[in-house]
Amino acid sequence: MPGSERRRRLYGGKTEPYKKVWKDGKARRLHRLLAEAKLGRPLRPGEVVHHREGALDREDNLEVYPSQRHHMVVHHYLRREARGVQHLFDLETFLSLLDPPREGDEPAG
């Protein structure tokens, strides 16, 4: 199955699940622009924007993680929680154990 056909099937008839807007002559994903506005700064290289409740593009639905690794850990944690797994740590504590903050780092979300 060609890639675009597969994406249409996965994303309800669309080839791209995220809305794009034009800013400064470039197409940008709306959720990334909203995350930048929420943080008050541009996203850093490698930072990933997570939608808490599906692909709803609202500032209160977005979280920014420092890496794709953190993003996948969040998805794994939430999937296990939905299946009834009792975790030893809450999600915020668990993420803080992955990579302790470095000096000068500010919270991302």
Side-chain angles (χ1 to χ4, degrees):
M1 169 182 311
S4 61
E5 184 180 325
R6 180 175 181 272
R7 285 191 299 272
R8 277 191 186 88
R9 190 181 54 143
L10 289 173
Y11 304 135
K14 298 183 251 176
T15 57
E16 175 65 49
Y18 303 112
K19 293 177 187 167
K20 289 184 181 177
V21 294
W22 287 89
K23 182 176 180 188
D24 300 326
K26 293 182 180 181
R28 301 275 319 272
R29 290 191 172 122
L30 179 59
H31 65 281
R32 294 184 65 82
L33 291 173
L34 291 172
E36 289 176 349
K38 180 179 178 180
L39 294 173
R41 63 168 174 80
L43 291 173
R44 295 182 180 129
E47 286 186 324
V48 177
V49 179
H50 170 72
H51 292 81
R52 283 189 241 156
E53 299 173 19
L56 300 174
D57 289 327
R58 295 188 326 254
E59 282 187 26
D60 62 333
N61 187 46
L62 302 174
E63 293 177 343
V64 177
Y65 294 111
S67 67
Q68 184 63 26
R69 176 184 180 208
H70 280 76
H71 187 224
M72 288 296 94
V73 166
V74 168
H75 278 280
H76 179 73
Y77 185 99
L78 296 175
R79 254 193 327 271
R80 289 175 50 90
E81 192 173 70
R83 292 181 182 150
V85 173
Q86 296 292 317
H87 296 285
L88 296 175
F89 303 103
D90 62 42
L91 181 57
E92 189 174 320
T93 303
F94 188 71
L95 287 173
S96 73
L97 297 172
L98 283 179
D99 294 318
R102 295 178 302 246
E103 188 174 321
D105 280 355
E106 62 183 70

